[in-house]
Amino acid sequence: MPSPRKTNPLSRLPALALAALTAIAGPACVSKPTMQLDHAEITGIRIAFPPSLGVLMTVVVNVHNPNSYDVAVRAVRGQAVLAGRYTLPVDFRADGEGVWLASDRTTQVRVPVSIPVDLGFQLLRESFSSPVIPYRFSGRADVTATRTFRLEADDYSVDDHGVILRQQIEAALGIMR
C-alpha cells in the first residue's frame, strides 16, 4: 500500500503567487463604462441646510458596464447649464459603497441637481413661449472596479444635451396656468 504523499506548503507558493497576480491584474484592466444622458425630471422642492429652497431636478444617466465584473459609481461631479447660460454645480456622492453596476449591463444612475427657486422663476419667465427648457449636463464619474479588490478609477465623462418640460417646473413651484 503506497504511503500518502506529504505536501510541502512552500511547493504551492509559485502557483498561489500566479493566481494572486492574475486576480489583481485582471480587474486593473477596467474597460471604460460608457455614460449617456437619458433624461431629466423635476421631482419637487428641496429644502436644505444651510437654509435654502430649490427645485429638485434629477438627471438620469444610463451607464453601461462592459466589464465581466461589477463596478460602482462613487461620485459624479460637473455642471448642468440651463437655457444655455445658467450654470449649476453638480456634486453627487453615492451612499455607502456607491451605485453598483452589474457586469455587461446598462444601469440608470440618478444625479440630483438643485435649481434655486429664484432661478426657477427666471427660467419660467424667459421660456414663456416654449414648452421646453434646454440643458446641457457635463461631468465626470469616479468608479470602483470589483467588490473584492476595490480598484478606483476617476474621470469617466459624460457631456450631453436634453430638455426639461417647462410644465414640470411650474408644477414644482405651484404655478397653475
Side-chain angles (χ1 to χ4, degrees), residues 8 39 41 51 66 81 89 109 114 131 141 145-146:
N8 180 352
H39 69 281
E41 53 197 39
V81 180
V109 176
S114 184
T146 81

Side-chain angles (χ1 to χ4, degrees), residues 102-142:
S103 65
D104 198 27
R105 292 228 165 49
T106 298
T107 304
Q108 289 192 329
V109 176
R110 302 174 70 77
V111 180
V113 178
S114 184
I115 302 170
V117 169
D118 58 338
L119 178 56
F121 284 116
Q122 180 70 25
L123 288 167
L124 291 177
R125 281 191 297 274
E126 290 179 10
S127 66
F128 187 73
S129 63
S130 176
V132 297
I133 299 169
Y135 69 93
R136 177 180 180 186
F137 176 73
S138 57
R140 300 190 177 282
D142 298 339

Side-chain angles (χ1 to χ4, degrees), residues 67-83:
N67 298 292
S68 61
Y69 46 85
D70 296 351
V71 298
V73 173
R74 299 185 318 275
V76 177
R77 296 171 316 282
Q79 64 183 12
V81 180
L82 302 175

Side-chain angles (χ1 to χ4, degrees), residues 30-157:
V30 178
S31 292
K32 186 175 180 177
T34 55
M35 301 194 330
Q36 183 178 18
L37 183 64
D38 186 277
H39 69 281
E41 53 197 39
I42 302 297
T43 55
I45 294 290
R46 178 178 185 188
I47 300 172
F49 186 81
S52 65
L53 184 63
V55 175
L56 183 59
M57 178 172 89
T58 301
V59 176
V60 181
V61 180
N62 291 333
V63 184
H64 178 72
N65 175 13
N67 298 292
S68 61
Y69 46 85
D70 296 351
V71 298
V73 173
R74 299 185 318 275
V76 177
R77 296 171 316 282
Q79 64 183 12
V81 180
L82 302 175
R85 65 176 168 204
Y86 301 106
T87 302
L88 298 171
V90 174
D91 190 15
F92 167 70
R93 303 203 186 274
D95 292 334
E97 298 175 341
V99 178
W100 282 97
L101 313 172
S103 65
D104 198 27
R105 292 228 165 49
T106 298
T107 304
Q108 289 192 329
V109 176
R110 302 174 70 77
V111 180
V113 178
S114 184
I115 302 170
V117 169
D118 58 338
L119 178 56
F121 284 116
Q122 180 70 25
L123 288 167
L124 291 177
R125 281 191 297 274
E126 290 179 10
S127 66
F128 187 73
S129 63
S130 176
V132 297
I133 299 169
Y135 69 93
R136 177 180 180 186
F137 176 73
S138 57
R140 300 190 177 282
D142 298 339
V143 176
T144 299
T146 81
R147 293 179 193 262
T148 305
F149 295 107
R150 307 238 186 258
L151 299 173
E152 294 183 358
D154 299 335
D155 294 337
Y156 293 102
S157 63

